Amino acid sequence: MRLSRFFMPILKETPKEAEIVSHRLMLRAGMVRQQSAGIYTWLPLGKRVLDKVTRIIREEQNRAGAVELLMPTLQSAELWQESGRYDAYGDEMLRIKDRNKRDMLYGPTNEEMITDVFRSYVKSYKDLPLNLYHIQLKFRDERRPRFGTMRSREFLMKDAYSFDLNREGAVDSYNRMFAAYLRTFARLGLRAIPMRADTGPIGGDLSHEFIILADTGESEVFCHKHFLDFDIPADDTDFWDAAAMKAIFDKWTSLYAATSEMHDEAAFNAIDDASKVSARGIEVGHIFYFGTKYSEAMGAKVQGPDGKEHTVHMGSYGIGPTRLVPAIIEASHDENGIIWPASIAPFDAVVINMKSGDEACDAACETIYAALNNAGFDTLYDDKDDRAGTKFATADLIGVPVQIIAGPRSVANGEVELKDRKTGARETLTIEAAINKLTASK
Amino acid sequence: MRLSRFFMPILKETPKEAEIVSHRLMLRAGMVRQQSAGIYTWLPLGKRVLDKVTRIIREEQNRAGAVELLMPTLQSAELWQESGRYDAYGDEMLRIKDRNKRDMLYGPTNEEMITDVFRSYVKSYKDLPLNLYHIQLKFRDERRPRFGTMRSREFLMKDAYSFDLNREGAVDSYNRMFAAYLRTFARLGLRAIPMRADTGPIGGDLSHEFIILADTGESEVFCHKHFLDFDIPADDTDFWDAAAMKAIFDKWTSLYAATSEMHDEAAFNAIDDASKVSARGIEVGHIFYFGTKYSEAMGAKVQGPDGKEHTVHMGSYGIGPTRLVPAIIEASHDENGIIWPASIAPFDAVVINMKSGDEACDAACETIYAALNNAGFDTLYDDKDDRAGTKFATADLIGVPVQIIAGPRSVANGEVELKDRKTGARETLTIEAAINKLTASK
C-alpha cells in the first residue's frame, strides 16, 4: 500500500480525552475515531489490525471444531422474556421499538438466540456435540464508556456456544475451548493466564477468565510464576481427544491464579516467594459452563441414546476483538508508539523513502516495494512528500515490525538500512541483501 | 469439512412463507433462518457463501483504489440533522434513544457519517482523490419485509464514498467504481448491465443501477442484446488511467439499457428487433454522483491548489451482499436446487459416501477427502449415516459444483463417479484419476 493512496490520519497532538496509553496511541496513529460516546469508527490502519486479530480467532475456533454462523444484531424482546433476562438485564440493554411498536433490542450477548436456533433444528444426541460461534457486533449501554475501544458501547465479539447431552460432554467442550483460547492468545503474541472466575449474569458454576499481564491493567491479579513458561498446545493438537484436552486443562489450572475478586490470600501465600507474581492484568477472554440454565427455560432438548428427552448442557465462550486490540497495545508499546506482534501488525514492513522525488531514492524504494509485495509481504510504502523525521516518527508510532529506510547517501552506495521496531537494532545491507533477508523470513 | 461435524439443517418441507424460489431454496438448504420479521441468522452454509461474496467485493474495491474502514451501526441523530435527512427519512429509519435519552439511529446508509470522518481529517486537495468504503450491517425498517434476505430489514452493505476536488475528478472516481462493479459481478458469475437510474433520496444527477437478468426478477428491464457479450475489464486494468476508465464507461453506456422507471419506448424501438431484450431484472448494485449535497451541508472543504477553500464533490457506491446471494440463486438454479458459480460456492466439491460404515467406501472417501483438502480444495464430506438417495438430493440442493460419488460397487473396482452439478454430466474414473482431474482444475 502506498501511503499516498492510503488513509492514515496521524494526529500530532495527544488527544486530551484519552486516559490510557492504548487509547492515546490508537487515536494518534489514526486507528480509530470516536463517533459518539463509546461508539467508534475503525479507520483503515485499525481495521487491518482488527481483521488480523479476528482471522486468528476464527482459525483457532475452526481448528477446535466450532462452526461459524452469523446471528443478527437486533433481537426480539420475546426471546429474552422466555429466559427471564429481559427485565433482569437492566439499563445496559439497548431497548428499541420498531415501526410496528414491537419490542426489540440490540443484542448484548446471544445465549437466548443461539438456544432458539438450536431448539428449532436439533432433535437427536447424534448431532452432538455442537459448538456454534459468530463474530458479530454487540451493544452494551455502559453508564460510562471509556478507555477507547477497551470499554466501548458498540463492540465486536466472538461468542461461541456449545451444546452437549450431559455435563460430562459439556466439560469436554469446555476443555476444547480452553485449549483453543490458549492457542489463540499465544498466536496474538500474548501470554494469557486462565483464572477461575465468577460467572456473573451469564450464570453457571464453572468459568475462567483469560488474563494478560500489563502494567497498565485494570485489575490486580495473582498467580504462580510458572504460568509464564507453560507450553502452548501445538499446531497438531487433536481437539477431539478428550483426554488430551483434559490434560491441558488440568495442567493450566494446577497452580494458583486468581483475580482480586476471587483471590485467596492464604493459598497465594503458600507459594514460595520467588514464584509469586502479583501484577496488573487485563481480561481478554471469558468462558462459561452454565449447564441447563437457558436450555431448561427455553426447552432445548434432544432425544438421548436411551430414547428419552434430555435438556442439553451449554457453555459460552467470548473474546472481544475490539477490546483485544487496545489490550495488546497496553502490553506492547514504548515511548515512541505501538510495537505490534508480527502476527497482527497492520503491515509486515514499511519502506521509508527519506527523500521522495529524488530519482535514486524513488527507484530503490519502488524496487524494494515491488519485491516485498511479490513475496507476499504486506508492505506500506511511505512515498509522501514529508520530512524524513516525520516519516521516522510515524513508522515508530504505527509500530510496523520492520522498517526499510532508503536515504540518498545509502542508496548512492546501493544500500538501505533495516530497523527492527521492537529492539531498535539497525543494520545496513545492499538492497538485494535486504530484500532477501526479509523475504527469507516470511 | 465433515458433514457430521458441520451444522447444515436441511428442511424436507418447502416452507410456506417463502414466495420466491431463492427464499425457498435458502431455507430448505439451511442457509438462513428468520429470527424476526426481516431479520435473519446466516447459518453456516449461508455464511460461507456470504463470506466468498464479500471477499470478491473487497478484492475489487481494493484493486480500484478504495480503502476499507469500518463505521459503526449506530449513529447520532445530530449528524442527520446537519444534512437535513433526519426528518426526511421517514419510518424506514430505526430511531433509538439510549439510556441518557440521546437520539440515535441504526444507520440505513452512511453519507453523513463518512462526510463527518472526512471533514475532521482531510484539509488539502493533495489528499484527494479519496475513496473510503466499508462492509457493514444496516437497518431499514421496511413496512413489509419479504423475499427472505432479498429485502430484509437488517442487511449487509458494501458502501463506498468518493471525495474529489471538483466534478471532473468525481466523474473519474465514478468511472473507477463503474469498472470495479463490472469486474465484481463478473467474478460472482453474473452478467450485470448498468442502467441509468433515478437518484432517489440519495440525491445527485448521475446514477446507474447494475441489473442482472433473471426470469423471476422483480422489475421489467429493457436493453440491447450486445450487452450480453461485452468484454469485462481485465485483471491488469489500470484503475488510475482516467482515459481507460472513461472508455469503459462510454462503451458500457453506448447502447440502450433502462429499467421500466426510466424506460423510453421510442429509443428502445429504434433498436433492431433481433437485438431487443425485454426481460425481468434484479438490481444488484447502485452508484451515485451527488456533487456537494452532503459536503455543502456539512462543511466538508479542502484547500485547493489555488489556495482557496473548495467544497468537495462526492459519490456513493453500494452493493448488498445479503441481497446478492438470493439474486444469484434466482439467476442460477434448477428444479433440484441451487447451482452455485464456482467462485462463491460454499464448498468446491462434495464427497458422497453412499454407504457410510462400509470399510472400503469409508477408506476411499477418506483418501479423496484428504487429497482434495491438501490440494486446497474446500471439500465437504458427507460421512453421515443417511440413505444414498438423501445424500444425492442434499448435494443437488446445496449446489456444490462437483460431486464425487463413492458406492460399494464402484469402489470395489477402485473407481468413483464424478458428477457436474450444473450439467448433470457424469463420468467414472479411478480414484487417483478423479483426484488428479479435480486438483489440476484448481
Side-chain angles (χ1 to χ4, degrees):
Chain A
M1 176 65 72
R2 287 169 197 278
L3 187 52
S4 61
R5 289 185 184 160
F6 195 49
F7 179 61
M8 192 174 83
I10 300 293
L11 300 187
K12 291 199 184 88
E13 306 287 315
T14 296
K16 288 197 190 82
E17 75 268 29
E19 300 169 57
I20 59 172
V21 65
S22 59
H23 191 192
R24 283 197 292 275
L25 290 172
M26 288 175 76
L27 290 172
R28 281 193 52 215
M31 288 181 65
V32 293
R33 173 170 192 273
Q34 181 170 298
Q35 299 295 148
S36 318
I39 300 180
Y40 287 82
T41 286
W42 285 75
L43 297 171
L45 193 76
K47 179 65 164 57
R48 284 181 157 251
V49 177
L50 189 60
D51 285 347
K52 292 191 179 186
V53 167
T54 54
R55 186 167 62 198
I56 288 173
I57 293 170
R58 176 175 285 123
E59 284 171 3
E60 294 302 329
Q61 290 292 293
N62 293 346
R63 188 195 302 269
V67 178
E68 188 173 10
L69 43 60
L70 183 65
M71 289 176 272
T73 59
L74 296 198
Q75 308 188 13
S76 81
E78 287 161 26
L79 273 181
W80 289 68
Q81 283 154 352
E82 275 194 69
S83 74
R85 285 207 291 181
Y86 187 64
D87 295 322
Y89 216 95
D91 285 344
E92 275 194 19
M93 179 185 279
L94 187 67
R95 292 155 210 262
I96 301 170
K97 275 196 199 295
D98 72 6
R99 69 188 291 169
N100 295 316
K101 308 292 174 220
R102 271 189 312 202
D103 288 315
M104 313 281 294
L105 56 98
Y106 199 123
T109 178
N110 282 59
E111 281 81 10
E112 282 80 358
M113 189 177 273
I114 198 73
T115 305
D116 181 47
V117 169
F118 179 91
R119 70 180 173 184
S120 73
Y121 295 117
V122 183
K123 306 296 178 193
S124 164
Y125 74 96
K126 290 180 188 165
D127 294 322
L128 304 183
L130 183 63
N131 184 326
L132 299 171
Y133 78 98
H134 73 164
I135 299 176
Q136 176 61 295
L137 294 167
K138 310 222 165 356
F139 197 93
R140 291 184 193 157
D141 205 355
E142 303 254 2
R143 180 194 301 273
R144 201 185 147 208
R146 55 184 169 155
F147 303 149
T149 65
M150 185 82 93
R151 190 176 283 267
S152 54
R153 297 198 292 168
E154 182 172 325
F155 59 98
L156 196 62
M157 176 86 102
K158 184 287 299 178
D159 36 328
Y161 302 90
S162 64
F163 299 89
D164 285 273
L165 182 62
N166 51 36
R167 184 185 168 100
E168 188 189 349
V171 168
D172 291 344
S173 291
Y174 187 91
N175 292 343
R176 268 197 294 280
M177 284 292 109
F178 186 97
Y181 274 35
L182 291 174
R183 281 189 52 83
T184 301
F185 295 121
R187 287 188 60 196
L188 293 170
L190 299 171
R191 164 74 31 167
I193 301 168
M195 302 193 183
R196 186 83 186 217
D198 228 1
T199 56
I202 301 285
D205 64 356
L206 176 62
S207 176
H208 286 86
E209 288 181 353
F210 288 74
I211 305 271
I212 59 168
L213 307 184
D215 292 343
T216 53
E218 61 202 345
S219 62
E220 208 176 355
V221 299
F222 307 87
C223 70
H224 196 290
K225 191 178 157 191
H226 286 182
F227 275 115
L228 304 178
D229 301 315
F230 273 8
D231 285 339
I232 299 295
D235 284 4
D236 62 355
T237 298
D238 179 0
F239 281 84
W240 300 103
D241 178 344
M245 291 298 109
K246 181 168 190 310
I248 291 168
F249 176 84
D250 286 346
K251 164 142 194 174
W252 281 85
T253 54
S254 61
L255 298 175
Y256 188 81
T259 59
S260 55
E261 239 178 347
M262 304 285 279
H263 187 46
D264 174 346
E265 196 71 31
F268 186 61
N269 283 334
I271 302 173
D272 64 290
D273 278 352
S275 300
K276 275 182 186 147
V277 176
S278 160
R280 309 294 300 178
I282 302 174
E283 187 223 302
V284 289
H286 202 161
I287 64 178
F288 302 88
Y289 162 67
F290 45 71
T292 59
K293 175 172 173 178
Y294 301 92
S295 48
E296 184 69 47
M298 298 179 66
K301 295 171 188 169
V302 296
Q303 192 177 52
D306 56 5
K308 291 181 188 155
E309 282 204 323
H310 296 256
T311 300
V312 294
H313 285 242
M314 293 174 57
S316 72
Y317 314 91
I319 297 181
T322 45
R323 176 179 168 81
L324 256 178
V325 173
I328 292 166
I329 295 173
E330 292 292 333
S332 185
H333 67 271
D334 64 16
E335 65 281 12
N336 297 320
I338 302 164
I339 300 172
W340 291 115
S343 61
I344 56 162
F347 296 96
D348 297 324
V350 54
V351 176
I352 300 175
N353 188 339
M354 286 175 65
K355 199 171 176 186
S356 294
D358 174 278
E359 209 172 307
C361 282
D362 289 356
C365 288
E366 292 287 347
T367 300
I368 296 165
Y369 178 59
L372 293 181
N373 278 332
N374 285 339
F377 241 69
D378 195 359
T379 309
L380 179 66
Y381 170 25
D382 189 345
D383 60 343
K384 291 187 78 170
D385 194 22
D386 293 326
R387 290 183 313 108
T390 302
K391 293 187 178 189
F392 294 149
T394 296
D396 279 356
L397 175 62
I398 67 173
V400 172
V402 182
Q403 301 173 9
I404 302 105
I405 302 166
R409 216 174 304 172
S410 60
V411 165
N413 296 327
E415 292 176 336
V416 291
E417 204 175 17
L418 291 194
K419 179 181 159 189
D420 181 302
R421 168 66 181 91
K422 185 173 183 178
T423 64
R426 294 160 177 271
E427 61 180 325
T428 300
L429 292 172
T430 65
I431 291 171
E432 200 189 339
I435 293 169
N436 289 342
K437 178 166 179 169
L438 291 177
T439 55
S441 72
K442 184 74 182 175
Chain B
M1 177 65 72
R2 287 169 200 277
L3 187 52
S4 61
R5 290 184 183 160
F6 195 50
F7 178 61
M8 192 173 84
I10 300 292
L11 300 188
K12 290 198 184 88
E13 306 287 315
T14 294
K16 288 197 191 81
E17 75 267 31
E19 301 170 57
I20 59 173
V21 65
S22 59
H23 191 192
R24 283 196 293 275
L25 289 172
M26 288 175 76
L27 290 173
R28 282 193 53 217
M31 288 181 64
V32 294
R33 174 172 191 271
Q34 181 170 300
Q35 299 294 148
S36 317
I39 300 180
Y40 288 82
T41 286
W42 285 75
L43 298 170
L45 192 76
K47 179 65 164 57
R48 285 182 157 250
V49 176
L50 189 60
D51 285 348
K52 292 192 180 186
V53 167
T54 54
R55 186 167 64 199
I56 288 173
I57 293 171
R58 177 176 285 122
E59 284 172 3
E60 294 301 328
Q61 291 291 294
N62 293 346
R63 187 195 302 269
V67 178
E68 187 174 9
L69 43 60
L70 183 65
M71 290 176 271
T73 59
L74 295 198
Q75 308 189 12
S76 81
E78 288 160 25
L79 274 182
W80 289 68
Q81 283 154 351
E82 276 194 68
S83 75
R85 286 207 292 182
Y86 188 64
D87 295 321
Y89 216 93
D91 285 344
E92 275 195 17
M93 179 185 280
L94 188 67
R95 294 155 209 263
I96 302 170
K97 275 196 199 295
D98 72 7
R99 69 188 289 170
N100 296 316
K101 308 292 174 221
R102 273 191 310 205
D103 288 315
M104 313 282 295
L105 57 98
Y106 199 123
T109 177
N110 282 58
E111 281 80 10
E112 283 80 359
M113 189 178 273
I114 198 72
T115 304
D116 181 46
V117 169
F118 179 91
R119 71 181 172 185
S120 72
Y121 295 117
V122 184
K123 305 297 178 193
S124 164
Y125 74 97
K126 290 180 189 166
D127 293 322
L128 304 184
L130 184 62
N131 185 325
L132 299 172
Y133 78 98
H134 72 165
I135 300 176
Q136 177 61 294
L137 294 167
K138 311 224 163 355
F139 197 92
R140 291 184 194 160
D141 204 354
E142 303 255 1
R143 181 193 300 274
R144 201 185 147 210
R146 55 184 170 156
F147 304 149
T149 65
M150 185 83 92
R151 190 176 283 267
S152 54
R153 296 199 293 169
E154 181 171 326
F155 58 98
L156 196 61
M157 175 86 102
K158 184 286 296 178
D159 35 326
Y161 302 90
S162 65
F163 300 89
D164 284 273
L165 182 62
N166 50 36
R167 184 186 168 100
E168 189 188 349
V171 168
D172 290 344
S173 291
Y174 187 90
N175 292 344
R176 269 197 294 281
M177 284 292 109
F178 187 97
Y181 274 36
L182 292 173
R183 281 188 52 82
T184 302
F185 295 121
R187 287 187 60 196
L188 293 169
L190 298 171
R191 165 73 33 165
I193 301 168
M195 302 192 183
R196 188 83 187 217
D198 228 2
T199 56
I202 301 287
D205 65 355
L206 176 62
S207 177
H208 286 85
E209 288 180 353
F210 288 74
I211 306 273
I212 59 168
L213 307 184
D215 293 342
T216 53
E218 61 201 346
S219 61
E220 209 176 354
V221 298
F222 306 87
C223 71
H224 196 290
K225 191 179 158 188
H226 286 182
F227 275 115
L228 305 178
D229 302 314
F230 274 7
D231 286 340
I232 299 297
D235 283 4
D236 61 356
T237 298
D238 179 1
F239 282 84
W240 299 103
D241 178 344
M245 291 299 110
K246 181 167 190 310
I248 290 167
F249 177 84
D250 287 346
K251 163 140 196 177
W252 280 85
T253 54
S254 62
L255 298 175
Y256 187 81
T259 59
S260 55
E261 239 177 347
M262 304 284 279
H263 188 45
D264 174 346
E265 196 71 30
F268 186 61
N269 283 334
I271 303 173
D272 64 290
D273 277 352
S275 299
K276 276 182 185 146
V277 176
S278 159
R280 309 295 299 178
I282 302 174
E283 187 224 302
V284 289
H286 202 161
I287 64 178
F288 302 87
Y289 161 68
F290 46 71
T292 59
K293 175 173 173 179
Y294 301 92
S295 49
E296 184 69 48
M298 298 179 65
K301 296 172 188 170
V302 296
Q303 191 176 53
D306 56 5
K308 292 181 187 156
E309 282 204 325
H310 296 256
T311 300
V312 294
H313 285 242
M314 294 173 57
S316 73
Y317 314 90
I319 297 181
T322 44
R323 176 179 167 80
L324 257 178
V325 173
I328 292 166
I329 295 173
E330 291 292 334
S332 184
H333 66 273
D334 64 14
E335 65 281 11
N336 297 319
I338 302 165
I339 300 172
W340 291 115
S343 61
I344 56 162
F347 296 97
D348 298 324
V350 54
V351 176
I352 300 175
N353 188 339
M354 285 176 66
K355 199 171 176 186
S356 293
D358 175 278
E359 210 172 306
C361 282
D362 289 356
C365 288
E366 291 287 347
T367 300
I368 296 165
Y369 178 58
L372 293 181
N373 279 331
N374 285 340
F377 240 69
D378 196 358
T379 309
L380 179 67
Y381 171 24
D382 190 344
D383 60 343
K384 292 187 79 171
D385 194 22
D386 292 328
R387 290 183 313 108
T390 302
K391 294 187 178 189
F392 295 149
T394 295
D396 280 356
L397 175 62
I398 67 173
V400 172
V402 182
Q403 301 172 11
I404 302 104
I405 303 166
R409 217 174 305 173
S410 60
V411 165
N413 296 327
E415 291 176 336
V416 291
E417 203 175 16
L418 290 194
K419 179 181 159 188
D420 181 303
R421 168 65 182 91
K422 185 173 183 179
T423 64
R426 293 159 179 271
E427 61 180 325
T428 300
L429 292 172
T430 66
I431 290 172
E432 200 189 337
I435 292 169
N436 289 342
K437 177 166 180 170
L438 291 177
T439 56
S441 72
K442 185 74 182 176

